[in-house]
Amino acid sequence: MAQAISPPEVLDDKAPGRDRYSSDAAGLGRLRAGVFVAPALLLIAAFLVFPALWVLYLGLTNYRLTGAAAAEPRFVGLDNFLDAIANPTFWNSTWLTVQFVLGSAVIGQVVLGFTIAWLLRDRRGPLKRLVEGLVILAWILPSAVVSFLWVALLDRDGGTLNALLGIPGFPWLLDHPMLSIIIFNTWRGTAFSMMLYGAALGNVPPSHLESARLAGASGWQQLRDVVFPHIRGHILTNLLLISLWTFNDFSPFLLTAGGPDGRSEVLAVHVYKVALQSGELGYGAAVSTIILLINLVVAVFYLRLLRSKK
Amino acid sequence: MTPRFVLGRIGFYTLIAVLLAFFTIPLLWLVTAPFTSDPTYEVRWPDFTWENFQAVVEHPYALPSLWNSLVLSVGTALLVVVMAALAAYALSRVRLPGRDALLYALLLLSSIITGTAAMVPLFQLAVELNLIDSQLGLILILTGGLLPAAIFMLKDFMDSTPKSYEESARVFGASPLQIVRHVVVPLVRPGLATIAVWAIANVWGNFLMPYLLLSDVEKQPAAVITYTLYTEGGQANLRMLSTFGLLYSVPVVLMYLFVSKKYGFRFHGGIKR
C-alpha cells in the first residue's frame, strides 16, 4: 500500500495530455489506479486470501480450542491428514457428501431445472410467471427459514407430508436424513438451473427443432439430437457451479444438524463439528484443506470452460 | 386434435400440477401458521389472529435481530459497492500490469474459498483481532468474501460503457474522483444496483458466519435467532417461529419483486452462497 498520490501528479491531472503515466480515458494514471484498487485488495487479502493460506498451515498443527495446544500449537506435519484418512467418520462424511452432490445437484437440480425450463419454453403469461416465481421464491428465502419449513413438513407426527400421504408416524428425518436433505436442497436450489436452461433454450434455433420435427423425430430424439448438443456448454457450466455450491453448503446443519448419529454429516457439517464443537481446530483445518483442494479442481475446470467460450 | 395432442396436454398439465404442489406445499405453512392461534406442524386453514405478531413484537431479541440483519446487509452492501466500483473502474480503464491474471485469480479465489473451507481460520482470525461479537468485524469479513465476484461483475459492466464522456469531462478539468462520481456512477447505476441487491440478499440469508462470529444474542441477525428459536429448550415455539420466519422473509421477497419489476430479473454467475 505504498502508493500515495504525489502533489505534482494531482496538478498534472488538470492539464489534459500531460499525464505522465498513461493516456487512459479518465486520466487515472497507474499510480492512482492502484489507489482505487488498493482498498478492495486489502480486504480481500485480509479476509479471503490470508484465511486460505492460514488454513493450510493450521492443518499441519495440533491446534485446539482448549487446553495446552490452544496457547501453543505444535507443528505435527501430516498427522492430521493421516488421522483423517484413518478416521471412519471422515470417510462417512465424504461418502455422504458425494451422495448429497450427486443426488441434489447433479440429478435433482439439473433434471428438475431443465424439465421446468423445457415445459415452459414457448410460454408467456401467468402460468409461466407463477411456476417461475415459486421456484425462485424457494431460492431467495433465507436458508434458516426454509430449512425449518422442511422440518415442519417432514415432522413425524404433525407434519403435513405424513398427513397428506396418510402415514402418520413415518420418521422422515430420522429414518432418511440424507434423502430429506437431498430433496430439501433440490427444492431450494433448482431456480438457478431453471433460469440458466431457460436462457440457454432461448438460443436454440427454432428452425433446427422445426426441421427435426418435420423429419419425424420424437420429442426425446429432438432433445437428444438437437437440444442437448446445442446447450452442452450450459449443462457443463451448470453442473460445475451447483456441484461446487452444494459441496460447500452448510444448510444440512440447519435441517438435521448432521444427525441422527452422523448419518447426514456431510463434510461442511463435519468440519464445523470437529473444529468448533469438539475443538480440534488443527484436524478441522486439515479437512478444510481437503475441501479447498477439491474446490480448486472444480473451479479450474469451470474457469477453463468460461475462457474457452469467450 | 389428435389423441396424441390431447395426451400431450394432459401430460403437460399433470406435470405442472405436480411441480406446483412440490414448490407450494412447503411454503403453505409459512403463510398460514403465523395467522393461526395455535399452530401445529400441519398446514391448516388459519383463524386469522394477530396475536402471534404481538408475541414477536414483545420478544426481546426478535425485532432487534431484524435490525441487526439490516445493519449487516446494508453495511456490507455499501462497502462492497464503493470498493468494487473504484476497483472495477480502475481495472476497466487503466492497463495495469498483470491485470488479467489478477482478475482471473480473484474469480478463482472467490469460488474456492467458501465459509466451509475457511471457517477455522476466520474464527481464529476473529479471535486474534478481537472481532468476535463485532458487527463491523463481520461486515469486513463478509465484504472481503463478496468483493472478488462484485469486482468481476462490475468490471464487465464498465467495459461496456463508452469512454468518451469521461474524456470530455477530463478535458474540462474534472478530477478522477469527480469523474467517477458524476460521470461513471450515473452510467453504471444498474450495475451498482445489481451488486447492492446481490450483496444484501447474500448477507440477509447468511447463517454460518454470524453463527460462528457473533455469540452475543443482542448482536445476532435474524438467521441466527431463527435457529435459536427452534432449537432452544427442546420444544420449538411454533407461533413465534412461524411469525418471525415470515417477517424475516418478507423483505427479500419485496426486494426481489422490486428488482424484477424495475430491471427484469437477470442473474449473474455466482449469485448467492
Side-chain angles (χ1 to χ4, degrees):
Chain A
M1 234 54 59
Q3 302 126 325
I5 310 166
S6 58
E9 201 201 328
V10 176
L11 288 176
D12 269 6
D13 180 68
K14 301 276 186 208
R18 275 207 276 146
D19 193 315
R20 282 172 293 151
Y21 292 95
S22 77
S23 55
D24 53 273
L28 267 176
R30 280 189 184 169
L31 269 182
R32 210 169 298 129
V35 176
F36 275 29
V37 180
L41 286 191
L42 183 68
L43 270 189
I44 294 170
F47 297 119
L48 200 70
V49 180
F50 174 72
L53 297 176
W54 193 237
V55 82
L56 301 182
Y57 168 73
L58 279 180
L60 303 172
T61 70
N62 67 345
Y63 190 43
R64 288 189 55 94
L65 208 50
T66 51
E72 245 172 288
R74 199 161 43 80
F75 187 83
V76 294
L78 293 176
D79 280 7
N80 290 320
F81 292 89
L82 298 175
D83 284 352
I85 291 172
N87 182 356
T89 316
F90 169 76
W91 288 111
N92 173 54
S93 292
T94 306
W95 170 232
L96 294 176
T97 310
V98 171
Q99 291 178 28
F100 187 46
V101 173
L102 283 181
S104 68
V106 175
I107 299 175
Q109 295 179 20
V110 170
V111 172
L112 200 58
F114 180 82
T115 307
I116 299 171
W118 178 250
L119 285 175
L120 299 174
R121 66 192 181 283
D122 297 325
R123 295 194 163 250
R124 298 274 171 280
L127 185 67
K128 185 184 169 91
R129 281 207 300 274
L130 177 69
V131 176
E132 287 187 346
L134 279 167
V135 178
I136 292 173
L137 194 58
W139 188 48
I140 59 172
L141 289 179
S143 59
V145 173
V146 289
S147 60
F148 182 73
L149 292 183
W150 278 83
V151 171
L153 181 78
L154 299 174
D155 186 66
R156 157 187 215 149
D157 296 315
T160 302
L161 187 63
N162 282 347
L164 281 176
L165 297 175
I167 42 171
F170 190 81
W172 294 96
L173 287 167
L174 290 176
D175 271 15
H176 300 283
M178 271 319 287
L179 184 67
S180 299
I181 67 169
I182 285 172
I183 296 176
F184 157 75
N185 193 50
T186 303
W187 183 85
R188 197 172 62 111
T190 293
F192 179 77
S193 307
M194 176 191 80
M195 292 190 284
L196 192 132
Y197 291 122
L201 287 175
N203 294 330
V204 177
S207 58
H208 290 197
L209 276 173
E210 186 60 27
S211 49
R213 227 183 339 256
L214 288 177
S218 69
W220 170 245
Q221 282 169 332
Q222 289 172 35
L223 279 179
R224 193 191 59 194
D225 298 332
V226 182
V227 177
F228 290 153
H230 210 94
I231 63 170
R232 192 187 295 135
H234 293 90
I235 298 176
L236 213 53
T237 308
N238 185 222
L239 274 177
L240 290 172
L241 270 181
I242 61 179
S243 299
L244 195 65
W245 293 340
T246 305
F247 181 63
N248 287 274
D249 187 18
F250 188 66
S251 56
F253 177 80
L254 290 161
L255 200 65
T256 61
D261 298 328
R263 281 196 290 131
S264 60
E265 192 173 309
V266 291
L267 280 172
V269 178
H270 181 63
V271 172
Y272 175 78
K273 291 213 144 178
V274 293
L276 293 144
Q277 281 187 345
S278 309
E280 313 231 11
L281 294 172
Y283 175 80
V287 178
S288 294
T289 303
I290 296 169
I291 293 176
L292 264 182
L293 292 177
I294 296 173
N295 285 350
L296 178 69
V297 172
V298 179
V300 165
F301 272 112
Y302 169 65
L303 289 185
R304 280 203 165 171
L305 193 70
L306 277 191
R307 278 195 157 182
S308 68
K309 262 198 281 189
K310 279 198 172 166
Chain B
M1 288 290 254
T2 62
R4 203 186 141 148
F5 176 82
V6 175
L7 272 181
R9 290 289 87 180
I10 293 174
F12 173 81
Y13 284 107
T14 314
L15 257 175
I16 291 287
V18 171
L19 282 171
L20 279 176
F22 179 58
F23 279 96
T24 313
I25 289 172
L27 294 171
L28 287 179
W29 196 79
L30 186 64
V31 290
T32 54
F35 305 99
T36 311
S37 34
D38 188 21
T40 60
Y41 277 125
E42 200 183 331
V43 173
R44 278 181 306 162
W45 191 250
D47 52 0
F48 298 106
T49 171
W50 290 99
E51 278 171 32
N52 302 335
F53 290 88
Q54 188 67 32
V56 169
V57 172
E58 283 163 8
H59 191 279
Y61 304 122
L63 292 184
S65 78
L66 286 171
W67 171 252
N68 291 337
S69 290
L70 190 72
V71 169
L72 290 175
S73 49
V74 172
T76 307
L78 276 177
L79 263 184
V80 167
V81 166
V82 171
M83 288 190 177
L86 287 174
Y89 179 64
L91 290 172
S92 167
R93 295 300 192 254
V94 180
R95 240 173 268 114
L96 289 172
R99 180 187 70 180
D100 290 340
L102 179 73
L103 280 165
Y104 183 82
L106 283 182
L107 197 62
L108 189 68
L109 286 175
S110 68
S111 41
I112 64 173
I113 307 170
T114 58
T116 293
M119 66 170 97
V120 175
L122 280 176
F123 177 77
Q124 199 206 2
L125 193 64
V127 172
E128 294 293 329
L129 297 179
N130 222 351
L131 293 177
I132 293 285
D133 276 336
S134 152
Q135 285 177 332
L136 180 65
L138 183 54
I139 286 175
L140 291 174
I141 288 173
L142 292 168
T143 304
L146 294 175
L147 267 175
I151 293 174
F152 208 81
M153 291 187 259
L154 269 181
K155 195 221 160 227
D156 236 23
F157 210 90
M158 295 201 177
D159 284 346
S160 62
T161 59
K163 297 185 178 102
S164 50
Y165 299 118
E166 292 150 46
E167 271 155 10
S168 47
R170 199 177 150 221
V171 169
F172 286 105
S175 77
L177 263 181
Q178 282 174 324
I179 294 178
V180 170
R181 261 184 56 199
H182 299 296
V183 181
V184 178
V185 166
L187 275 177
V188 298
R189 190 169 286 150
L192 298 179
T194 308
I195 301 293
V197 166
W198 168 78
I200 289 176
N202 251 294
V203 179
W204 189 263
N206 192 327
F207 168 78
L208 178 59
M209 281 302 139
Y211 183 64
L212 279 182
L213 303 179
L214 302 177
S215 59
D216 181 352
V217 70
E218 289 185 12
K219 290 179 177 158
Q220 288 170 346
V224 181
I225 294 295
T226 309
Y227 184 68
T228 312
L229 281 175
Y230 90 85
T231 50
E232 204 175 40
Q235 187 83 45
N237 179 347
L238 299 185
R239 300 174 55 195
M240 192 59 213
L241 194 52
S242 59
T243 314
F244 183 66
L246 184 66
L247 288 175
Y248 173 30
S249 301
V250 164
V252 279
V253 176
L254 291 180
M255 197 167 75
Y256 161 70
L257 290 176
F258 173 76
V259 171
S260 62
K261 198 163 180 106
K262 185 148 186 198
Y263 298 104
F265 190 69
R266 287 190 306 131
F267 66 95
H268 300 257
I271 199 171
K272 197 112 190 206
R273 287 173 235 213

